[in-house]
Amino acid sequence: LEFIHSLIPNWGFSIIILTILVRLLVLPFNLMSYKSMKGMAKIQPEMKLLRERYKNDPTKLNQEMLRLMKEAKANPLGGCLPMLIQIPIFFALYQVLGQSIELYKAPFIFWIHDLSFRDPFFVLPILMGVTLFLQQKITPSTMDPAQQKVMAFLPVIFSVFMLTLPSGLTLYIFVSGLFAVVQQYSFMTSDRRKEAVA
């Protein structure tokens, strides 16, 4: 972050560039995750049939589920890998952006005059909530309707949580979420093109 700031003397833009670099670093894992989640979404109807067929035989159900996932090359844990990689980065940035003396009174643009203080007009937390909502809408889901309803509240909960956090940290999460939306959309567009050619 300091190196980027030495090239671009604005901490806000330095945070944006760092965020994009982090997202590009985990891009291969995100692609693996997308393929795995798409594979899981495709086999949901078959998994439902297996659950009904073997509801009284959990051992056989597990065997058949594993066989089905292996054939479809779908990994239920594949969607978690990018999250696990990004969690330590998030906590490191939380510490840096929340306690860095360099960000104290450091202006970004327009209404943000202090990246160590919360967004005074709550624009970044709201935008972050919007990107999380869009991300949920365009991400292939393997959840049942009840779980989806619960997950629909997450963008609101995260936005409320971010209201009091430093605007530098909220900026990082917003740009990261925006990158994820663009990335997901490009994955889906690429898939549609492949299906159209096939």
Side-chain angles (χ1 to χ4, degrees):
L1 189 60
E2 285 179 346
F3 172 73
I4 296 166
H5 185 258
S6 71
L7 303 173
I8 300 160
N10 180 305
W11 285 108
F13 288 114
S14 300
I15 290 166
I16 290 170
I17 291 165
L18 178 68
T19 307
I20 291 167
L21 290 173
V22 167
R23 293 298 305 202
L24 288 171
L25 190 71
V26 296
L27 188 60
F29 302 104
N30 285 329
L31 184 57
M32 282 170 30
S33 168
Y34 173 75
K35 286 178 179 174
S36 179
M37 287 170 76
K38 192 174 175 217
M40 286 298 291
K42 272 184 183 174
I43 61 171
Q44 281 307 300
E46 294 170 65
M47 289 178 87
K48 192 176 178 184
L49 289 172
L50 286 175
R51 283 190 195 101
E52 288 169 11
R53 189 180 300 160
Y54 301 110
K55 61 183 172 189
N56 297 323
D57 189 353
T59 307
K60 184 70 175 169
L61 175 63
N62 286 338
Q63 288 171 349
E64 290 298 312
M65 290 272 209
L66 287 170
R67 180 192 58 75
L68 181 63
M69 284 186 262
K70 195 174 180 181
E71 284 173 7
K73 294 179 182 170
N75 181 355
L77 299 175
C80 300
L81 185 62
M83 281 260 206
L84 291 173
I85 292 166
Q86 289 178 72
I87 285 172
I89 297 167
F90 173 80
F91 281 115
L93 283 166
Y94 179 82
Q95 291 295 318
V96 168
L97 300 174
Q99 299 174 15
S100 207
I101 195 71
E102 291 87 353
L103 297 182
Y104 180 67
K105 299 285 184 190
F108 174 39
I109 53 170
F110 308 126
W111 69 97
I112 297 176
H113 305 292
D114 184 353
L115 285 163
S116 68
F117 187 66
R118 65 172 175 77
D119 182 335
F121 300 113
F122 309 114
V123 175
L124 286 175
I126 291 166
L127 287 174
M128 189 208 69
V130 170
T131 57
L132 284 174
F133 176 76
L134 289 173
Q135 211 176 332
Q136 276 186 350
K137 286 291 172 194
I138 64 173
T139 302
S141 178
T142 58
M143 291 182 281
D144 61 58
Q147 287 175 315
Q148 284 178 343
K149 282 177 186 172
V150 172
M151 291 299 282
F153 286 103
L154 274 182
V156 177
I157 293 164
F158 269 99
S159 293
V160 170
F161 175 68
M162 297 306 288
L163 290 177
T164 58
L165 292 180
S167 53
L169 182 63
T170 312
L171 178 65
Y172 165 75
I173 297 167
F174 164 63
V175 174
S176 184
L178 191 61
F179 188 99
V181 168
V182 172
Q183 169 190 283
Q184 189 72 26
Y185 183 76
S186 66
F187 288 165
M188 290 166 66
T189 307
S190 173
D191 279 353
R192 282 194 206 107
R193 280 198 205 109
K194 284 176 189 170
E195 285 166 13
V197 169

